[in-house]
Amino acid sequence: MGETERLPFGYLTVSGEDAWVDGAWDTEILTLLLRHATTCLGGLGALVHRHDRAAGRLRLVAASATIQADTGQWADLHDDQDATPALALRRHGLVFEAGDSLGIGAGATVAVPLPGSKGPVGVLSVLTPGPDEPDEAQRSLLRALTAWADARLDGGPARSGPDSVAEVQRSVRMGELTAALAEAATTRDVVDAVAKFVMPPFGADGLVFQLLEGGRPRIVGAAGYTQEFLSLVDAIPPDTDAALEDMVRTRAPLFIGSKAELLGRYPTMLEVNEASPKQAWAFLPMIASGDVIGLCVVSFSEPRPFTDDERALLTALSGLVGQSLERARLYDVEHARAQELQRGLLPRALPRLPAAGAAARYLPAGRGEEVGGDWYDLIPLSADRVAIVIGDVMGHGISEAATMGRLRTAVRTLADLEIPPDELFSRLNDLVSDLGEDFYATCLYAVFDPVARTCSFSLAGHPPPLVVHRDGTVDAPEVAPDPPLGAARPPFETHQLDLPDDCLLVLYTDGLVESAARDAGQGLTQLRQALSRAVVDTASFRTTDEEDGVRRLEELCGRVVTALLPDHEQTTDDAALLIVRTRCAAALDVASFPLPDDPRAAGQAREYVREQLGAWGLGDLVPTTELLVSELVGNIVRHAKGPIRLRLLRSRSLTCEVYDGSLTTPRIRHASYTDEGGRGLQLVAALSRRWGARYLDDGKCIWTEQDLPPRAST
């Protein structure tokens, strides 16, 4: 027993943390009643009054601990008062009154009498946070709870014995089911909740959920049946499913205690009856928004009768489950559409580039209300350079998924401008800021240069990349990220890593390493260990075949995700993982030549091209490349300034780069027929597969790409 407190009508005793009660009625029964009634309506708390017929008064005998201190004004009520409990007593039915009756911040009060054999023996009241009236499922469960409680409170203490214990356990499970259904997001959640909280207390061992879709029933969940039998039930034509037709027509539950009874009522279901391993059934129509949306069948392996208590609780269950399943079904549809949208915004396949092979995993949250905004990308740049990006829009929902799509598009657009990571983030930060004060995103943008063997990256609220070496060693750069996009103030900082030949860059979002069971530091340690083990086990570096290399990266992603998220269905955040295998350029595939800052430069450039392409066995490309470098170098001599440098890169294509010391932007002019010049860049565009310019700290680089002859492709 707990502490004692004096109230206007006598002494009340605090019982544990759930409620306080006096000694007039059974403590356990009242505590269960308060708890389950509060859960049923999602209330702030509940009260129970006992009716003193002789005195014409309602005396408070129990209240939830959450509202105990505020119940004094309802401690002792006259039968004829206008208080909600007294109104329910006089009207012999449920009374709903909007407003904060006790001054505790409630939105409304729901009161229902406890029906005794000679008239109401008391009143159960629930204070709710909102102004909405209880729906039919909630009313049904309240009636079942008050009927259960009254049978034990009217005339004295509750009965004891096996039956009473089983009934109390069923009531407890109904309360737990109510709470579980309130949290159930998906159809699978609803089925699992019913299987967990309904089947054991009733001794049931079978469960089937059928939803009506286009007038045809479809099984969406089951327990205790073989797939063969479920397929047989699913194949029944709608017009011959007599039990379902009855449920839709009468909207009333049906309790069948034996196979003989079932066959007598529904002779057309002989095949299903004979194939069924069950002997008794409770057919419960599920009603939502005024319509029968399906059927819940609770079944038993032995013939049995159904008591009034069981019928009342199972009937209440059908309404409650119907509402939850309708909500879950709508969620399933919207969630599937949102995930489809999100997946559509992610790259369908990562490109296979000369300097990088990659694999990725995106895992939507297993649980939770909505999708998130994680994304990743691999973007080819000039000279075999690669932009690597991963990000996470803060929050969850279709809006965040759409924002993710906008950011990914913006990153690709800005990456094509070949601007450095810090400048790209400055522009991306402006975009996120313009979306509103509530939009933020973390992001990592990196540029891998296979010739310089460096990785330059900027961080906006995002963890840095991990570097995995051939021997399984994992390095984590110790750098501090800038604030998230939308909250940061430029300039952003650029970090640089010197990479060995042939290593792995691992990028991830926080959903991969953080969870309710571990913090980010613990998750990062686990990720490093998983990468080290998996790299050794999968022999990720021991192949030169591109197809085999991608397959091993996919396998590596799978092993890492399994190690970090073994129970993905229970996660509440989405996660993304991107693993990139970098390949540095061989020294023999790169040639660089300084050029004089005068008219001789074009002639020397052509001479270097002839010599180098001849050494590479690319003589077929000499005429075109000579013309390209002549135009590019000539433009620099006429319109820009030195120093001038030519660089050739042999890869899957031939890249020709000309560097100068000017920041002037080259552009294609529309030359008229009478113009003697102005067509140089038009010629460059026509002769190249693609061309462009990128800017450096001390100048710019104009580059072109040409396809290699088939026999020279690497």
Side-chain angles (χ1 to χ4, degrees), residues 5 161 235 294 452 660:
E5 179 180 347
D660 66 62

Side-chain angles (χ1 to χ4, degrees), residues 26 134 136:
D26 183 88
E136 185 54 42

Side-chain angles (χ1 to χ4, degrees), residues 280-292:
W281 300 265
F283 294 92
L284 309 172
M286 295 183 294
I287 301 174
S289 304
D291 297 320
V292 177

Side-chain angles (χ1 to χ4, degrees), residues 30-53:
L30 289 174
T31 302
L32 290 173
L33 181 60
L34 292 171
R35 182 190 307 162
H36 299 158
T38 301
T39 302
C40 172
L41 297 184
L44 303 174
L47 317 105
V48 175
H49 286 83
R50 185 175 185 179
H51 185 215
D52 186 340
R53 294 189 185 90

Side-chain angles (χ1 to χ4, degrees), residues 2-19:
E3 62 178 289
T4 301
E5 179 180 347
R6 180 179 294 276
L7 289 178
F9 62 89
Y11 287 89
L12 297 174
T13 303
V14 177
S15 175
E17 297 181 355
D18 295 315

